[in-house]
């Protein structure tokens, strides 16, 4: 099926869906599905239950002992992983956590890649959604290798950056205070779009463009200022930075960029410095909860922080370019009464 043919298909007529799925067995699975859980167990001197634990942690449904569900590549991967656990280098809980991490990221990544390529086909070739998806099915084989290389490269760079940050942090702080509840001290906050829920009902087909533009702007502004995006939550972003100065640059730059974009809804932000812990690539703790509540009462175009963070900013610990102003006390659900402060750049 050629590009030219696809661009000539009318919106009311779709080409026949090609039988291409079987063609991906070789490049993605390493070959046909010929093995059962029982086969994997016998080849590795493990049990069907262990095979299914591995498979479930990978994000797939468990299978009966004799159901054909695996390839030779699956066998090789399972054999290496089960040997790692058997060696004692990691325990079963860690194994399960790592496998779930791989599965979660791979599932999200695959979805992201396919949807991006579908949008690309619609935009460049003028296709409707169905025809664009058929186009992607036809052409994904040509892109598997480069997408795999790009992911491996990104993962290596990100892991190196994380290990470097970890080294720098632990070399400075020494032993953690035994009284400290959570091991990591971070600057973080939320930015969300005001009136998103009511506006989204009238945007119709323009909603994906709004979300895409908001996400692109957030990811660019946060990384340019030295922070990291923890996650996008529809109309909001959770960002994080290692120190107070970087965090302040992130939140103020982000607000400035989003406010200057007329195609994005008005925004508001929260910013808090405090202790957190990390699990499954996310961050948790009362600091995160406080930031989530503060953004909900922040005025349009403004940044709210808590009293402790405001005191550090006022003392110049985040640099001399910021100021704080009192804000009316507020009762926050799950937090209690707080005395928020407005944070802004100092232009004098």
């Amino acid at each position: 099926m050629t590009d030219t043919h696809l661009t000539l298909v009318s919106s009311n007529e779709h080409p026949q869906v090609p039988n291409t799925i079987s063609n991906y067995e070789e490049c993605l699975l390493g070959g046909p599905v010929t093995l059962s859980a029982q086969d994997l167990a016998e080849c590795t001197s493990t049990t069907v239950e262990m095979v299914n634990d591995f498979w479930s942690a990978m994000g797939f449904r468990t299978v009966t002992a004799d159901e054909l569900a695996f390839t030779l590549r699956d066998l090789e991967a399972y054999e290496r992983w089960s040997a790692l656990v058997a060696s004692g280098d990691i325990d079963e809980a860690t194994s399960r956590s790592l496998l779930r991490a791989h599965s979660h990221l791979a599932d999200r990544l695959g979805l992201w890649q396919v949807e991006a390529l579908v949008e690309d086909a619609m935009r460049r070739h003028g296709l409707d959604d169905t025809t664009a998806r058929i186009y992607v099915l036809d052409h994904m084989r040509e892109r598997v290798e480069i997408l795999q290389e790009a992911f491996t490269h990104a993962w290596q760079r990100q892991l190196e950056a994380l290990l470097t940050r970890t080294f720098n942090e632990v070399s400075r702080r020494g032993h953690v205070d035994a009284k400290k509840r959570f091991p990591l001290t971070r600057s973080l906050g939320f930015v969300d779009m005001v009136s998103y829920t009511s506006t989204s009902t009238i945007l119709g087909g323009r909603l994906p463009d709004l979300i895409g533009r908001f996400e692109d702007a957030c990811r660019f502004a946060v990384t340019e200022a030295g922070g990291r995006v923890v996650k996008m939550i529809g109309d909001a972003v959770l960002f994080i930075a290692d120190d107070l100065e970087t965090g302040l640059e992130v939140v103020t730059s982000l607000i400035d960029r989003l406010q200057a974009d007329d195609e994005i809804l008005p925004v508001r932000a929260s910013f808090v410095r405090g202790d957190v812990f990390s699990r499954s690539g996310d961050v948790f703790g009362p600091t995160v909860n406080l930031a989530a509540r503060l953004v909900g009462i922040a005025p349009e175009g403004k940044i709210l922080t808590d009293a402790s963070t405001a005191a550090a900013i006022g003392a110049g610990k985040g640099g001399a370019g910021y100021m704080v102003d009192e804000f009316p006390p507020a009762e926050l659900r799950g937090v209690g009464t707080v005395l928020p402060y407005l944070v802004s750049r100092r232009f004098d």
Side-chain angles (χ1 to χ4, degrees):
M1 185 175 293
T2 66
D3 294 359
T4 303
H5 174 74
L6 283 171
T7 57
L8 294 177
V9 175
S10 72
S11 60
N12 296 320
E13 180 183 358
H14 300 297
Q16 183 177 0
V17 179
N19 183 23
T20 59
I21 296 302
S22 61
N23 296 333
Y24 287 108
E25 283 188 345
E26 183 62 36
C27 69
L28 293 178
L29 304 184
V33 173
T34 59
L35 301 173
S36 67
Q38 186 66 51
D39 294 327
L40 265 64
E42 291 177 356
C43 290
T44 56
S45 299
T46 59
T47 65
V48 170
E49 289 73 20
M50 293 171 68
V51 172
N52 270 328
D53 283 346
F54 172 86
W55 200 232
S56 176
M58 284 278 288
F60 300 104
R61 67 172 183 84
T62 56
V63 295
T64 58
D66 58 356
E67 180 180 348
L68 297 184
F70 305 99
T71 68
L72 287 173
R73 184 178 291 174
D74 291 323
L75 171 59
E76 293 169 359
Y78 173 69
E79 186 173 31
R80 288 193 298 269
W81 194 263
S82 58
L84 173 67
V85 178
S87 72
D89 284 348
I90 61 173
D91 61 18
E92 291 184 3
T94 302
S95 166
R96 194 172 297 111
S97 177
L98 290 174
L99 288 171
R100 285 174 176 167
H102 300 163
S103 172
H104 174 73
L105 293 177
D107 176 60
R108 293 292 298 273
L109 177 62
L111 178 61
W112 192 327
Q113 290 169 332
V114 168
E115 293 300 330
L117 291 171
V118 168
E119 291 177 9
D120 177 77
M122 295 173 69
R123 184 171 55 249
R124 292 192 303 113
H125 301 300
L127 305 178
D128 63 90
D129 183 85
T130 299
T131 311
R133 292 179 188 278
I134 294 172
Y135 179 87
V136 171
L137 286 171
D138 269 343
H139 292 271
M140 183 60 85
R141 172 188 289 277
E142 305 157 15
R143 296 164 174 148
V144 167
E145 184 175 355
I146 186 62
L147 291 176
Q148 181 175 329
E149 290 175 354
F151 171 71
T152 300
H153 178 70
W155 172 74
Q156 290 172 334
R157 293 293 306 191
Q158 291 289 353
L159 183 58
E160 188 279 334
L162 174 59
L163 295 176
T164 298
R165 292 196 304 270
T166 301
F167 171 79
N168 292 336
E169 179 176 20
V170 298
S171 62
R172 288 195 305 266
R173 77 182 184 187
H175 293 291
V176 177
D177 185 350
K179 296 181 180 180
K180 190 174 181 180
R181 285 191 297 170
F182 306 120
L184 306 175
T185 301
R186 296 289 185 266
S187 298
L188 58 88
F190 290 86
V191 174
D192 73 3
M193 289 187 281
V194 180
S195 302
Y196 169 80
T197 301
S198 58
T199 305
S200 63
T201 61
I202 62 176
L203 283 177
R206 293 177 294 163
L207 184 59
D209 291 336
L210 171 64
I211 293 299
R213 192 174 184 88
F214 175 72
E215 180 171 350
D216 286 346
C218 289
R219 290 188 182 278
F220 179 83
V222 170
T223 54
E224 280 293 294
R228 300 177 299 283
V229 172
V230 177
K231 59 185 175 182
M232 303 296 305
I233 321 167
D235 64 328
V237 59
L238 169 59
F239 65 86
I240 197 166
D242 292 337
D243 56 78
L244 182 60
E245 185 173 6
T246 302
L248 285 167
E249 179 61 25
V250 168
V251 70
T252 52
S253 297
L254 184 52
I255 282 288
D256 290 345
R257 181 181 180 88
L258 294 173
Q259 287 288 101
D261 192 332
D262 293 336
E263 296 187 37
I264 293 177
L265 296 175
V267 294
R268 56 191 176 182
S270 63
F271 178 73
V272 181
R273 176 78 172 169
D275 297 336
V276 300
F277 68 95
S278 178
R279 289 292 184 275
S280 304
D282 206 340
V283 289
F284 303 90
T287 299
V288 182
N289 299 337
L290 175 58
R293 296 289 180 248
L294 283 173
V295 73
I297 63 168
E300 180 181 311
K302 303 297 183 180
I303 305 165
L304 277 188
T305 190
D306 67 317
S308 175
T309 307
I313 296 171
K317 295 181 180 180
Y322 305 94
M323 61 183 184
V324 292
D325 296 290
E326 287 189 5
F327 191 79
E331 183 73 22
L332 302 182
R333 181 168 58 88
V335 177
T337 302
V338 298
L339 179 61
Y341 287 79
L342 290 167
V343 180
S344 58
R345 292 187 189 272
R346 187 186 300 276
F347 294 103
D348 47 33

